[in-house]
Amino acid sequence: MRELSRKEKTEFNKLQKRLRRNAGNAIVDYNMIEQDDRVMVCLSGGKDSYGMLDILLSLRASAPIDFELIAVNLDQKQPGFPEQVLPEYLARLDIPYYILEKDTYSIVREKIPEGKTTCGLCSRLRRGSLYEFAADIGASKIALGHHRDDIVETLFLNMFFGGSLKAMPPKLLSDDRRNVVIRPLAYCRERDLAAFADYKAFPIIPCNLCGSQENLQRVQIKQMLRDWERQYPGRTETIFRSICNVAPSQLGDTALFDFSSLRAEVDTDLHLPAIRAVNL
């Protein structure tokens, strides 16, 4: 951690407490971590996953239950990837870790035409590899570093470009029912995690595969939300709360709510008045 002035130390302490409180509340609200869980913490080398691991280590030290943390990084063989950074960082922590090596970079480059978005295929390949390894080590939970802003952005991505009303749930059972994915940072703001990473001086590893794709739909959504936040501070938090406060009867999905059976309760014993003009 870099040297801090007295004022910075005060601000850092407030920030750290806020992040721990938000992560702790999310874990409790969704029962993310239970007694004797083995949690596989997925590290990408970005600010969010570094912050998640740091916060989980801190929470584990004071938690009323016992659980394991295992750090895992998938080296996707991107050219220029600094392979030594994560092992050197993780070796200083009191935690077991694994570096998985799988050349998904070449697959993405082969399948996706130049100029097209690589994130979809890249994330599917990465997710599949991590899910398989979680089963290999007997992990009961897989922790991902998505934060509140990621969740809200995904909501609008799905609405604007996918025609569906869904986001990233804080806790998810995989389709094959073999893995439970948790997002302990679901209540945390991205700007808090960015400030935390700066204070802690995490050795950030940029993504050279998709980090420079300026026309990504997610980048456009992120800018839209930033503009909204500047104009109406607190709007992103309000949108996130709406994700956690859904009223199916006020939407239009017939699979979620039985609209076809709706009937008004009419008193059949009432008779029409003889007078045709009614003063209400």
Side-chain angles (χ1 to χ4, degrees):
M1 185 167 171
R2 66 179 175 84
E3 286 291 323
L4 302 179
S5 66
R6 173 184 257 176
K7 181 180 179 181
E8 286 179 322
K9 286 180 182 178
T10 300
E11 291 302 315
F12 171 74
N13 288 334
K14 290 179 181 178
L15 174 63
Q16 183 170 239
K17 287 178 182 178
R18 182 163 64 250
L19 286 170
R20 283 192 56 181
R21 181 176 65 251
N22 288 339
N25 287 341
I27 289 171
V28 170
D29 287 350
Y30 292 93
N31 195 28
M32 291 185 185
I33 300 177
E34 302 170 83
Q35 177 68 33
D36 297 326
D37 264 343
R38 176 173 291 171
V39 182
M40 188 177 93
V41 183
C42 299
L43 290 182
S44 65
K47 68 181 189 314
D48 304 325
S49 59
Y50 274 124
M52 174 177 64
L53 177 59
D54 191 287
I55 292 164
L56 287 176
L57 285 168
S58 178
L59 291 174
R60 185 183 65 171
S62 58
I65 60 172
D66 293 321
F67 59 91
E68 249 184 293
L69 294 175
I70 300 175
V72 175
N73 168 256
L74 178 62
D75 179 355
Q76 298 176 271
K77 296 304 174 184
Q78 295 182 24
F81 183 80
E83 298 179 358
Q84 77 287 351
V85 170
L86 274 167
E88 289 177 358
Y89 175 78
L90 292 170
R92 299 195 297 267
L93 304 179
D94 181 22
I95 182 175
Y97 69 89
Y98 295 91
I99 306 296
L100 312 181
E101 296 184 350
K102 190 170 184 178
D103 187 5
T104 62
Y105 177 87
S106 296
I107 298 174
V108 173
R109 281 304 185 200
E110 178 186 345
K111 299 292 185 183
I112 305 297
E114 190 68 31
K116 296 294 183 179
T117 301
T118 58
C119 288
L121 178 59
C122 180
S123 63
R124 285 196 298 274
L125 293 171
R126 182 172 62 248
R127 185 166 58 244
S129 299
L130 292 171
Y131 280 14
E132 288 178 12
F133 189 70
D136 291 343
I137 63 174
S140 51
K141 305 285 171 59
I142 301 173
L144 302 181
H146 298 121
H147 45 69
R148 183 203 67 181
D149 298 76
D150 285 327
I151 293 172
V152 173
E153 289 163 17
T154 302
L155 172 71
F156 284 102
L157 276 171
N158 285 318
M159 282 198 296
F160 291 173
F161 304 106
S164 61
L165 190 60
K166 63 180 182 179
M168 293 175 174
K171 187 176 182 181
L172 172 72
L173 179 64
S174 62
D175 291 339
D176 61 8
R177 308 186 71 82
R178 296 177 60 198
N179 296 288
V180 173
V181 174
I182 60 174
R183 296 182 169 96
L185 303 182
Y187 292 175
C188 298
R189 299 181 300 185
E190 182 176 20
R191 69 171 181 260
D192 283 347
L193 289 162
F196 189 66
D198 179 61
Y199 279 123
K200 299 286 285 191
F202 293 136
I204 304 298
I205 303 173
C207 176
N208 296 323
L209 182 60
C210 63
S212 60
Q213 292 182 284
E214 297 179 357
N215 294 323
L216 288 178
Q217 293 169 344
R218 183 173 290 275
V219 173
Q220 298 170 12
I221 295 294
K222 187 183 288 288
Q223 186 58 53
M224 179 192 77
L225 290 170
R226 283 175 179 164
D227 292 342
W228 280 359
E229 193 68 28
R230 278 196 293 268
Q231 188 173 5
Y232 305 102
R235 172 170 282 190
T236 305
E237 175 61 28
T238 302
I239 294 170
F240 178 76
R241 287 204 307 270
S242 74
I243 297 174
C244 305
N245 185 26
V246 178
S249 65
Q250 307 303 304
L251 299 174
D253 192 332
T254 57
L256 288 180
F257 189 81
D258 186 9
F259 292 97
S260 63
S261 297
L262 290 180
R263 300 288 185 275
E265 294 183 1
V266 178
D267 189 345
T268 56
D269 292 331
L270 291 176
H271 299 285
L272 289 175
I275 301 173
R276 307 238 174 231
V278 180
N279 185 3
L280 297 178

